[in-house]
Amino acid sequence: SSGINAEYGDMNIKDATAAVFEFVKERDWEQFHSPRNLTLELMEELGEVIEVFLQEPKSTLKSKKKVSSGEKKKEFLSCLKDELADCIIVSVRLAQVSQVDLTAAMLHYYPN
């Protein structure tokens, strides 16, 4: 199985699409992935991105100790990275079930 954990920087849209498909297939999640359900999931994930900007990272809120601005920024970026990855993964899956070629769509929308 290819999994989602490809070497950083080496994954293109085609690789991401294949990895997401394999991940979903291994878990038998295809039955739950209608375009409607995935769109709702994408909205939820986008809400989580917004939450990253609206509040301190959860662990800094729970911590009683002073946290340096460098640590806060690192945690903020870590949370943002995770939530953006979720958005991309759900978007890739939505494109799959909707039979949209993401590479072609992006090249059409942003031509050279």
Side-chain angles (χ1 to χ4, degrees):
S1 102
S2 58
I4 302 279
N5 296 321
E7 185 70 28
Y8 179 76
D10 290 343
M11 185 176 278
N12 59 34
I13 293 173
K14 183 179 176 182
D15 294 337
T17 299
V20 168
F21 180 77
E22 190 63 32
F23 184 82
V24 168
K25 186 177 175 184
E26 287 173 358
R27 287 156 181 79
D28 194 27
W29 287 350
E30 293 147 316
Q31 60 189 319
F32 306 113
H33 287 181
S34 67
R36 179 187 182 279
N37 288 348
L38 289 164
T39 300
L40 293 172
E41 176 67 21
L42 181 57
M43 294 302 297
E44 181 179 330
E45 296 301 341
L46 287 169
E48 291 177 12
V49 171
I50 293 167
E51 284 181 23
V52 171
F53 286 95
L54 293 177
Q55 63 187 0
E56 293 286 332
K58 291 175 180 74
S59 67
T60 59
L61 289 175
K62 294 176 186 174
S63 176
K64 302 256 190 239
K65 67 177 184 167
K66 289 279 185 187
V67 180
S68 74
S69 62
E71 289 175 11
K72 284 183 182 181
K73 182 176 181 177
K74 185 177 177 181
E75 180 143 1
F76 169 83
L77 291 175
S78 176
C79 291
L80 182 60
K81 174 189 72 163
D82 291 347
E83 299 309 336
L84 288 174
D86 287 342
C87 290
I88 291 169
I89 290 166
V90 175
S91 295
V92 166
R93 184 63 184 142
L94 177 58
Q96 286 175 338
V97 301
S98 301
Q99 299 178 348
V100 171
D101 178 333
L102 281 177
T103 303
M106 289 177 68
L107 290 173
H108 174 76
Y109 197 77
Y110 294 107
N112 292 333

